[in-house]
Structure formats: C-alpha cells, structure tokens
Amino acid sequence: IPGDAAGVVRALGARLAEAETPTPSGRRVAQLADAVHELEGKGYRSISGGGTVDMRDAMVRLAELLPKGTQVVTDVGRFSFAAWKYLPVDPGRFTVPGAFGSIGLGIATAVGAAAARRDAPTVCVAGDGGAMMGLVELSTAVRHRLPLVLVVLDDHCYGAEYLKLESLGLAPAHSEVQWPGFAETARALGARAVTVRKVDEFAQVAALLNEAAYPLVIEIKADPARRRPEVAAAAGHAR
C-alpha cells in the first residue's frame, strides 16, 4: 500500500471501525508472550545440553566475562554468525581476516593484534577447521607471553560443507573430522587451556580470565547437527 505510514494507519483504523470489528481478545498477545518466554529472553532457543554448548550461549557467556576494551578477532565459517551477533565489540577493536572466504587466518591475525596492543586481552574466535590451520601460531603467543584468548568452537566438522551436503541430501558426515583435543594440544604448546561441555563450566573460564592466565585456549564442544538435546537423544534411540 503506497502512502504515508501514519495516514495509511489512520485510514485502516477508520475502515476497521466502519466494519464494526470485535474487540481484540488479547489472546495473540498472550501467545506472543509465551513465544518470547520460550526463547529464554535471548532471541533464540538454546540447544545446549547433552555434553555440548550452543555456540550462541557460549558467546553470550563469554561477553559477560571479557574485560572492557578487549580486542576481538574472528576467523570465518558457519560459527561466525554466533560470534558476530552475540559477542559485543568496541569500535576500532574488531577484525575479521576473511578475504575471499579464506578460513584459518584468525589465530595469526590475533597474535599480531595481541602483540601490538597489550593493554587489554585479544580474543580470537575460530571454528575447529580454521583453528587447526593456524594453531601453530599459538606457540608464538606462548613465547612472547601475549594476552591472547583463543576460543575454539569445536563441532568436529567443516560447517559450511556440512550445510551444503545436508541441503543436497548427501551425508553430512563426510564433512566431519575428529581432531586432536584442542585443550590438550594447547597445553603441550605451553598455554593454559580448558574444555567446556556445559554452560556452567564457564565458571572455570572466569577464574582463568581473572588470573590473566594468558595465552588461554577455551575449547567449546558443540553439536555439528545443531539439534536440541531431546531431538539428539531421540535420533540416537531411533538408530
């Protein structure tokens, strides 16, 4: 309907009055309130549970723990939408090294950012595929004691390929990879590290951040199929 918004609304109101429409019952308002409550006040339905953490939950919780002024660097991949939407950033302290869709550049970029600015930590958020391509740079952060926090959102797959295979009706399992443990590998390189499988395990992350235990690697386990726990359990029983 082309027209001024206010004028159109007034005209619609007048036509509804002429039609003697019944007084709204308020039922729709109650339905919407229930829907908002179902979204747990986050704008989404969490899929945390069953030994994995919703990537959005992880970013929301991390945002509560990181100090003000933290530099944010993200790799690119399916995981990035959670980081970009739910991890706040300060102007001038956000970098996405994803030229031409290349993955694996995040950790090296974050190491450089941490070396250039030591007054606040630099957090790098990467998927497991991209992290494996750049994990060697963690050794540089250890040698120079850089204030780096590497968050690996590990769903054991290449996320974009998982989605493409699934959309084509092919087995997404072809995109899945069982990587070495990121926390274990990080400790071997001399960094502090922790593995998170439940949201309440972020308490140990908070303790390490309070200690400024850098470089720090946070390995967060996620579900590649992104199912709610009860759906995953049902699928398991079906098999």
Side-chain angles (χ1 to χ4, degrees):
I1 302 175
D4 174 75
V8 169
V9 170
R10 283 194 293 269
L12 286 173
R15 299 293 84 76
L16 288 171
E18 289 176 7
E20 298 182 348
T21 54
T23 303
S25 67
R27 184 175 65 251
R28 180 59 177 160
V29 174
Q31 290 173 342
L32 289 172
D34 289 342
V36 170
H37 179 71
E38 184 180 5
L39 293 175
E40 302 166 356
K42 301 175 183 176
Y44 62 88
R45 290 187 70 197
S46 173
I47 59 171
S48 292
T52 63
V53 177
D54 189 316
M55 294 183 180
R56 296 164 296 184
D57 286 345
M59 294 297 97
V60 169
R61 188 72 184 97
L62 187 64
E64 296 170 353
L65 301 177
L66 291 171
K68 185 173 177 56
T70 295
Q71 297 190 109
V72 176
V73 177
T74 75
D75 210 296
V76 293
R78 181 173 63 157
F79 75 91
S80 0
F81 297 104
W84 295 341
K85 191 168 184 179
Y86 296 101
L87 190 63
V89 297
D90 289 343
R93 298 200 173 197
F94 176 58
T95 305
V96 181
F100 303 106
S102 301
I103 72 171
L105 304 177
I107 299 177
T109 301
V111 166
R117 178 174 276 159
R118 294 172 178 257
D119 60 314
T122 295
V123 60
C124 174
V125 185
D128 44 292
M132 281 301 293
M133 294 181 182
L135 196 59
V136 65
E137 294 299 340
L138 183 60
S139 176
T140 303
V142 170
R143 287 199 314 275
H144 295 280
R145 300 179 181 177
L146 299 179
L148 175 70
V149 179
L150 170 60
V151 180
V152 182
L153 296 171
D154 180 15
D155 56 7
H156 296 287
C157 74
Y158 286 102
E161 285 70 20
Y162 190 103
L163 287 176
K164 290 172 184 174
L165 289 169
E166 191 175 46
S167 68
L168 292 171
L170 302 174
H174 294 305
S175 67
E176 296 180 15
V177 183
Q178 290 299 318
W179 308 109
F182 286 95
E184 181 181 355
T185 303
R187 284 190 286 267
L189 291 172
R192 301 288 292 275
V194 62
T195 300
V196 175
R197 293 184 174 85
K198 297 186 294 185
V199 174
D200 59 12
E201 290 179 347
F202 270 92
Q204 54 187 324
V205 174
L208 290 168
L209 289 173
N210 288 336
E211 293 176 22
Y214 308 131
L216 171 63
V217 174
I218 306 169
E219 176 186 25
I220 299 172
K221 296 296 186 182
D223 176 14
R226 303 209 171 168
R227 300 167 293 187
R228 289 183 64 80
E230 60 270 21
V231 175
H237 290 316
R239 287 195 295 269

